Amino acid sequence: MQIITDIKQMQEIGNNWSNSQTIGFVPTMGYFHKGHLSLVAEANKNCDITVVSIFVNPSQFGPNEDFSSYPRDLQRDLELLNQYKVDYVFNPTPDQMYPAGYKTWINVEELSSILCGASRPGHFRGVATVITKLINIIKPSLMFMGEKDFQQIVVLQTMLKDLNFHTQIHPCPIIREADGLAMSSRNVYLNSEQRQQALCLSLAIKQAQEQYKQGIDDPQILKKNASDLIIRAGGRIDYIKFVDSVSLQEVKQAKDDTRILLAVFIGKTRLIDNAALGSY
Ligand code: AMP
């Protein structure tokens, strides 16, 4: 496993391999858990060369968000990656990625301003821009991304199609703790009481799936019941939406592939989760 910090060097490696081999790329912000590692395992399975990036991307954090306090532990991350066949870890600095005078941004219209984009203005502009840069540097055939960030996948799939990239996204399922909480680097912010409260996200999803299975297909009713559960548990709702899994537009009648997407504050920590209603 080679650790590359220099953009030019990574670009030469990407150019070199992409002629003859499939490069599987796992973009991350580090502080690994089993969700990240499942993407690495999937890249190993599907591609000749595996590249993992570890870069806490400043441009996807808002001014009042947790960029400076975001958890980081490069040594631990590298040790965890050693259990897999990772050929390269790309770990650039923010100054290299956004040098003085940087001016170019990618904006995927409409999809970037709803759901998480409504509460985090500029977030998906930062994500789309950094992924464009990373693709141009690494030259992957496939990019392995978690459905935990479902909107991110839809935004980036649209960008890849609109801008004629050859790279495709290989979506991977959400990895959860034994009690149902979706794994997230931000779970480390939760104290033990909040860790219990945080279960309300996966419980609300499960309840919506059960009620849908029993024949309730009115999103308003499903939403009210999910809200009640979350408020009772002490969560503060950012949004709960029942959306079409391709357009991310809210639906009037739920179907099997309708996605429940939610964002909830537990204390100061904002957590997200989602699932297809019919996948229970
Ligand atoms: P992050 O480091 O949070 O930017 O996440 C890097 C990648 O890991 C993204 O594609 C996420 O969707 C994915 N990921 C994060 N949490 C999980 C999880 N619990 N299960 C599967 N993938 C995840």
Side-chain angles (χ1 to χ4, degrees), residues 160-177:
L160 295 176
K161 181 165 151 271
D162 287 353
L163 296 183
N164 310 101
F165 279 97
H166 82 286
T167 306
Q168 295 202 334
I169 295 180
H170 178 120
C172 302
I174 301 176
I175 305 296
R176 297 176 179 280
E177 303 285 357

Side-chain angles (χ1 to χ4, degrees), residues 195-206:
R195 172 64 184 77
Q196 271 309 107
Q197 290 178 327
L199 285 179
C200 68
L201 283 90
S202 55
L203 287 174
I205 289 176
K206 210 164 156 193

Side-chain angles (χ1 to χ4, degrees), residues 4-16:
I4 312 289
T5 53
D6 184 67
I7 292 180
K8 268 224 164 83
Q9 193 187 354
M10 188 69 243
Q11 204 153 27
E12 276 163 21
I13 292 167
N15 282 339
N16 201 25

Side-chain angles (χ1 to χ4, degrees), residues 199-224:
L199 285 179
C200 68
L201 283 90
S202 55
L203 287 174
I205 289 176
K206 210 164 156 193
Q207 174 180 270
Q209 290 173 320
E210 278 167 359
Q211 293 179 347
Y212 169 72
K213 202 172 177 183
Q214 287 158 12
I216 303 177
D217 62 1
D218 180 346
Q220 293 309 322
I221 298 173
L222 295 170
K223 183 171 170 170
K224 168 81 172 67

Side-chain angles (χ1 to χ4, degrees), residues 26-36 38-39 60 70 144-150 152-153 172-176 182-186:
V26 182
T28 82
M29 299 205 297
Y31 210 71
F32 292 156
H33 50 66
K34 287 183 187 152
H36 296 110
S38 73
L39 308 180
Q60 70 189 68
Y70 193 83
F144 295 82
M145 307 197 91
E147 287 184 339
K148 161 92 190 322
D149 298 276
F150 192 80
Q152 172 169 278
I153 290 181
C172 302
I174 301 176
I175 305 296
R176 297 176 179 280
M183 289 193 184
S184 163
S185 305
R186 288 191 169 97

